Amino acid sequence: IAPEARPTSVPVVMDRERNRVLVSEALKRAADQANLGNLDVACSLLIEIAAMLSAAPSILAGESLSLRLLDVVRSALTRLEQVLGERSKGRSGHALLGKLPSAAPISAGLRSELVPNGVLMMMGSEPTRTPLKPHTFSVSLPLSSLSLGPNLGPNLSPALPGVPAGHRLAAVGTAAQAGPSAPLSISLGGGATASPLSGAAESPPAVHAHWSRRPLQPRDKADSSASSLDSADSSAPELGAPAGAELQLLRPAAVLTAKPPLRLLGSASFGAGKRGRVGGALRGRPRLQPPVLMPLHAPPIATRDGFAAAGAPNLGIMPPLPPPGGSARVSSGSFEAWLCRLLRVPSRPLPLPDELIIHIFSFLEPSVLFHESLSLPTLIVDKNTTVRGHYTTISAALRSAQAGDRVLIKPGVYRESLRVDVPVVLLGAPGPLGSAPGSAVTVTSARAHTLHSTAPFARVANIMFKQTGNSGRSCLLASRGSLEVTECDISSASGLCVEVTDSATPVIRNSRIHDGAAAGLWFRASAGGLVEGNDIWGNGWSGVQISDGSNPTLLRNFIHDNKSAGLISFNHGRGIARHNDITSNGKGGVQVRSHASPELSCNRIFAERSFGVWVYEHGLGRFEENEIVNNAWSGFQVEEWSAPIVVGNRLRDNRSAGIVVYNRGSGTYEWNDISANGRCGVQIKSGSAPFFRHNRIHNEKQAGVLTAEDGTGLLEENDIFDNQWSGVQTEGPSNPLLRRNRIHHNGGAGFIAYQNGSGLLEANNIYGNKKYGVQSKTGGHPTVRMNRIHDKMYGIYLTESGGGIYEDNHIHNIRGSGIYVAPDCSPVLSNNQGIGS
């Protein structure tokens, strides 16, 4: 059937992927056969795959990858021809021949090539000397290549119904008929006639099989094991063979392995092996044919009617895919069978390597891979078992488990160290009604890790893990892959409860992590994962530690009563924490230091024994919409060149200040609500320079904002009101910049500078304060320009050597004096408007 007449219902993308798999397997099989010495078999394999590609829908559609695959196969055929030529110069036999004397002429094998229009040509040659008695000449023509060519004539198909698969067709003639001056030609095209090589123009442009210029191996009919076809006299003229020639069916023969091996793929160069022996009958015990690796299985080409296309190429794939509902050919413990269970289809071989299936599984959580609705093979562990087939230890069951198995553990205490290196699920049996999850099955270890997981994915549920002794080992170690821990109880008397390292990404849900001698969880060395819905308490260090580029996600956990911080991120650690409750920890709810940059949002950090959040030593991070309340010290403290981003948080009822920035700290603070703290709402000290914008600072027990000790920074568009002392207060050599703020209804002045304090006020709205709008005393010298000041008593009040620059301000609605200047003060007043009496 012509290529343009073939069905094209197969999608090009699917056909391209099938071509890629089949070409890879064909090249591998051809290389294996060539390394075994079966060069003719290797040629046949490459010829078949090349002919199949020529008629593939993706080739006909001009798809680039399929065209490149076809070029690769052609290059392999060309290179194999060169190797055959090199071996023909010093060989004493050929795989196509049977038993030959040692002095027989050498055969160069076959030369095969694929011409652009998909025509298959096989070339041999005449003998180099005239034989003394009648001999026959045989040329190997693979039947699959004869049936795959798109331009083959219809005369050949009915003539080959009884030829077994894998045998070769040979055109046989006598030595007298094929002398040195009589080259032979066999035409396979419809209507073609026999002609010598010199008269090749007489044949139509169809498929031809020629004798090449290389010598052909003579073979005696009497010694041949070939069987004749139906009629030599009638078959030879039909194929265009010379008069007197006959058709024979030759069985494939094996050739000993030649070294160094040949490679059809890879970077290694091709080379010919050492001198080999004849592949026919050998002395002694006959050798068995070496096994042939089968390629990956591919689905058949379907048409609109659901049947294979007529004349579709025989891909040589055995066995074919089983029909739906048929017997499964896949091992129950393989990744293929596991994928079939997930897809809810019968088990069948799939054209997917295990590495690709593992990559697909990596996008799914272990709870999906091991879902209880799946019919997974189950291993039962019972330390008191007497049932044959059950296991008395979990370790023995893990050694026997295969990928996708379920290990069911009966109640009891198992004193062993577990290592999970195969994808399995460990399920502890449930305890009595009303008991805590994981209380029925206990696994304890005093030396090594109680559980060490290196599997690409695994799941553990309803088990209590304990690390005893003083080895310093962690109770649960995840060093690779994705381990899911659900409804478990984890504790450690010697070290960490949970250690996650080396890019592992576990999922820990609804578990109790407590009483660790060190931290509850430590993520390090670029680890990740999800920690959700756990109760983390009573650990000797922090509840959760994140370091070394790790980036886990903490969601809806209760972290409390740990001796250090609830959560600490350090040494370039990251992490995402959302909707957690962090409380009653010894050294603050959250600590961030050493270039760490976590993200905390929508958490409640309350009732801590020191700071709510402490960012220091170049700490970074983003804190958004958290509630930081009722902590023993400051709600949020920043120091030592740290620069966090704090947005939309509520900081209230802390016993010290709401936010403290000191010792050269900085950061950006926007849209926060800061109120009802024990001292000031915001403190800026010791050379710090933060940026506050769009915040509400109100109802503080002292000043709303206090700057001191060289504190600077920018306060822009904030609402500062209802504080018991002044709205903004500067002391010492501090110099903040206030721009476009609303400072109103405070118990003292709106802004006060004293003890040599200064500051720059521009375009602020200062009104409704109980005493003064702007006050300067004891050496204070601010710069106040372009502000609107309308307070109850005095707009500007200068006493006790207070000074400063006051220009372009609008002062009105003053019941007392607009500006009051004491005799010992020397301010600069310029262009102020609306001054009252």
Side-chain angles (χ1 to χ4, degrees):
I1 183 169
E4 59 273 6
R6 293 180 180 271
T8 59
S9 62
V10 179
V12 173
V13 175
M14 181 183 299
D15 185 70
R16 178 192 65 193
E17 294 303 318
R18 183 181 60 193
N19 293 341
R20 178 180 60 80
V21 173
L22 295 179
V23 167
S24 175
E25 290 298 322
L27 289 175
K28 182 179 182 303
R29 293 176 63 194
D32 292 341
Q33 292 295 332
N35 292 333
L36 294 173
N38 301 331
L39 301 181
D40 56 331
V41 177
C43 281
S44 301
L45 291 172
L46 295 180
I47 291 169
E48 288 186 12
I49 194 67
M52 185 275 292
L53 283 176
S54 300
S58 56
I59 291 290
L60 300 179
E63 202 277 324
S64 59
L65 177 60
S66 299
L67 293 175
R68 289 198 299 270
L69 292 175
L70 184 58
D71 292 338
V72 169
V73 176
R74 291 177 176 174
S75 300
L77 282 169
T78 303
R79 185 53 191 161
L80 199 56
E81 170 200 352
Q82 297 175 2
V83 176
L84 286 169
E86 294 174 3
R87 291 194 175 187
S88 65
K89 298 178 182 179
R91 290 293 185 177
S92 60
H94 192 270
L96 301 180
L97 307 178
K99 180 178 179 181
L100 292 175
S102 59
I106 303 169
S107 172
L110 298 175
R111 176 180 181 270
S112 61
E113 62 181 358
L114 194 65
V115 295
N117 61 353
V119 176
L120 185 65
M121 301 181 70
M122 306 295 297
M123 297 185 180
S125 72
E126 64 223 17
T128 55
R129 63 180 182 178
T130 304
L132 299 178
K133 62 180 180 177
H135 285 77
T136 61
F137 301 100
S138 61
V139 176
S140 173
L141 297 178
L143 295 180
S144 56
S145 64
L146 297 178
S147 63
L148 288 177
N151 297 327
L152 292 181
N155 298 331
L156 186 60
S157 299
L160 303 173
V163 179
H167 290 69
R168 294 183 289 271
L169 186 67
V172 183
T174 63
Q177 296 166 344
S181 61
L184 302 178
S185 173
I186 299 177
S187 173
L188 302 180
T193 58
S195 62
L197 293 177
S198 59
E202 300 176 5
S203 301
V207 179
H208 291 74
H210 300 280
W211 306 109
S212 70
R213 294 299 180 183
R214 290 195 297 269
L216 290 178
Q217 185 68 36
R219 181 169 182 169
D220 197 344
K221 289 184 181 181
D223 299 331
S224 173
S225 60
S227 59
S228 178
L229 293 178
D230 295 339
S231 176
D233 297 332
S234 60
S235 300
E238 181 179 352
L239 294 175
E246 63 181 17
L247 294 179
Q248 291 187 351
L249 191 65
L250 302 183
R251 299 182 179 273
V255 176
L256 296 179
T257 305
K259 294 187 177 182
L262 299 175
R263 297 180 182 272
L264 298 182
L265 285 176
S267 58
S269 59
F270 294 88
K274 296 181 180 179
R275 186 178 183 90
R277 298 182 62 184
V278 179
L282 300 177
R283 292 182 179 181
R285 191 172 181 177
R287 297 175 181 264
L288 296 177
Q289 182 77 9
V292 178
L293 296 178
M294 300 306 296
L296 293 173
H297 303 291
I301 301 177
T303 62
R304 297 179 181 179
D305 299 331
F307 299 95
N314 179 16
L315 302 181
I317 297 174
M318 294 296 292
L321 287 176
S327 60
R329 298 179 180 269
V330 185
S331 172
S332 61
S334 66
F335 287 97
E336 293 178 348
W338 195 357
L339 180 59
C340 290
R341 295 190 197 105
L342 286 173
L343 298 177
R344 302 297 198 274
V345 297
S347 297
R348 60 175 59 187
L350 301 174
L352 298 175
D354 287 349
E355 292 79 4
L356 179 57
I357 298 178
I358 293 175
H359 180 68
I360 295 172
F361 285 175
S362 66
F363 293 94
L364 304 175
E365 288 191 1
S367 59
V368 177
L369 299 175
F370 299 100
H371 197 268
E372 58 184 7
S373 65
L374 299 176
S375 57
L376 301 177
T378 301
L379 309 178
I380 298 178
V381 179
D382 187 353
K383 62 178 303 182
N384 301 318
T385 186
T386 58
V387 180
R388 185 176 181 180
H390 291 187
Y391 300 87
T392 58
T393 64
I394 306 173
S395 300
L398 289 175
R399 286 191 294 268
S400 301
Q402 297 183 3
D405 285 358
R406 178 189 290 118
V407 179
L408 180 61
I409 308 171
K410 294 297 183 67
V413 178
Y414 298 84
R415 304 183 185 277
E416 52 184 312
S417 298
L418 307 180
R419 184 179 182 90
V420 180
D421 52 10
V422 63
V424 296
V425 54
L426 302 178
L427 294 179
L433 184 63
S435 62
S439 59
V441 177
T442 301
V443 182
T444 178
S445 175
R447 295 184 178 180
H449 305 286
T450 307
L451 175 65
H452 183 189
S453 175
T454 59
F457 25 81
R459 185 169 184 259
V460 177
N462 203 29
I463 301 175
M464 178 182 294
F465 295 98
K466 289 184 177 181
Q467 177 69 24
T468 59
N470 54 3
S471 63
R473 298 293 184 90
S474 55
C475 181
L476 192 152
L477 172 62
S479 60
R480 181 175 177 269
S482 178
L483 170 68
E484 180 173 311
V485 180
T486 305
E487 298 286 351
C488 291
D489 189 292
I490 305 171
S491 62
S492 175
S494 63
L496 302 167
C497 290
V498 178
E499 182 180 3
V500 185
T501 183
D502 297 333
S503 302
T505 57
V507 178
I508 304 174
R509 284 195 177 102
N510 304 325
S511 299
R512 293 164 304 285
I513 304 170
H514 60 95
D515 295 319
L521 298 97
W522 190 354
F523 295 85
R524 60 186 182 88
S526 301
L530 172 64
V531 181
E532 181 180 8
N534 302 282
D535 191 0
I536 305 170
W537 85 92
N539 298 288
W541 296 357
S542 301
V544 180
Q545 293 188 170
I546 304 171
S547 66
D548 306 320
S550 299
N551 189 26
T553 298
L554 281 69
L555 184 63
R556 291 189 293 273
N557 300 284
F558 185 30
I559 307 173
H560 62 99
D561 293 296
N562 299 286
K563 292 184 179 180
S564 185
L567 168 64
I568 179 171
S569 182
F570 62 100
N571 290 347
H572 300 275
R574 299 172 61 190
I576 300 173
R578 295 176 180 170
H579 302 285
N580 300 282
D581 279 354
I582 305 174
T583 181
S584 302
N585 297 286
K587 296 183 179 179
V590 177
Q591 288 187 19
V592 181
R593 63 180 175 89
S594 305
H595 302 281
S597 180
E599 297 181 11
L600 281 81
S601 61
C602 304
N603 301 282
R604 294 201 313 157
I605 305 170
F606 62 98
E608 296 293 348
R609 299 171 191 172
S610 59
F611 308 104
V613 178
W614 186 16
V615 185
Y616 61 105
E617 294 180 5
H618 301 277
L620 302 170
R622 183 179 181 89
F623 302 82
E624 187 171 357
E625 297 183 3
N626 301 284
E627 189 170 357
I628 307 172
V629 300
N630 197 26
N631 298 291
W633 296 357
S634 302
F636 203 108
Q637 182 150 327
V638 181
E639 57 182 285
E640 297 173 354
W641 295 279
S642 299
I645 299 175
V646 184
V647 180
N649 300 277
R650 294 183 60 194
L651 299 101
R652 58 181 175 85
D653 296 318
N654 299 288
R655 296 181 185 178
S656 184
I659 296 178
V660 177
V661 185
Y662 83 107
N663 195 10
R664 297 178 179 83
S666 62
T668 302
Y669 308 83
E670 297 180 317
W671 304 104
N672 300 286
D673 189 277
I674 307 168
S675 65
N677 295 287
R679 295 184 180 178
C680 302
V682 175
Q683 287 186 10
I684 304 172
K685 298 181 178 180
S686 306
S688 300
F691 176 35
F692 283 82
R693 182 171 60 183
H694 300 300
N695 299 282
R696 297 176 73 243
I697 306 170
H698 59 99
N699 296 105
E700 301 295 349
K701 295 180 180 179
Q702 295 182 8
V705 178
L706 171 65
T707 63
E709 303 171 6
D710 293 312
T712 60
L714 171 63
L715 283 79
E716 184 177 71
E717 298 181 357
N718 300 283
D719 193 2
I720 306 171
F721 63 98
D722 285 336
N723 300 290
Q724 294 186 13
W725 292 6
S726 303
V728 179
Q729 182 173 318
T730 65
E731 63 181 44
S734 58
N735 187 23
L737 169 61
L738 283 74
R739 182 180 296 152
R740 295 190 298 277
N741 298 282
R742 296 174 65 232
I743 306 172
H744 58 98
H745 297 97
N746 296 286
F751 175 87
I752 180 172
Y754 65 101
Q755 296 180 1
N756 297 318
S758 61
L760 173 61
L761 282 74
E762 291 183 343
N764 297 283
N765 191 357
I766 305 172
Y767 64 95
N769 296 288
K770 189 174 182 179
K771 291 186 177 180
Y772 322 110
V774 176
Q775 182 180 3
S776 176
K777 64 178 184 178
T778 61
H781 52 283
T783 300
V784 182
R785 66 166 65 102
M786 295 183 294
N787 299 279
R788 297 178 68 246
I789 304 172
H790 43 109
D791 274 303
K792 297 178 180 179
M793 296 297 295
Y794 298 98
I796 298 174
Y797 189 78
L798 308 177
T799 59
E800 302 176 18
S801 302
I805 300 173
Y806 306 87
E807 57 185 8
D808 297 324
N809 297 289
H810 188 77
I811 305 172
H812 62 93
N813 293 333
I814 304 300
R815 289 186 291 178
S817 175
I819 298 178
Y820 176 81
V821 181
D824 58 346
C825 300
S826 56
V828 176
L829 304 174
S830 174
N831 199 25
N832 296 286
Q833 301 177 3
I835 300 176
S837 57

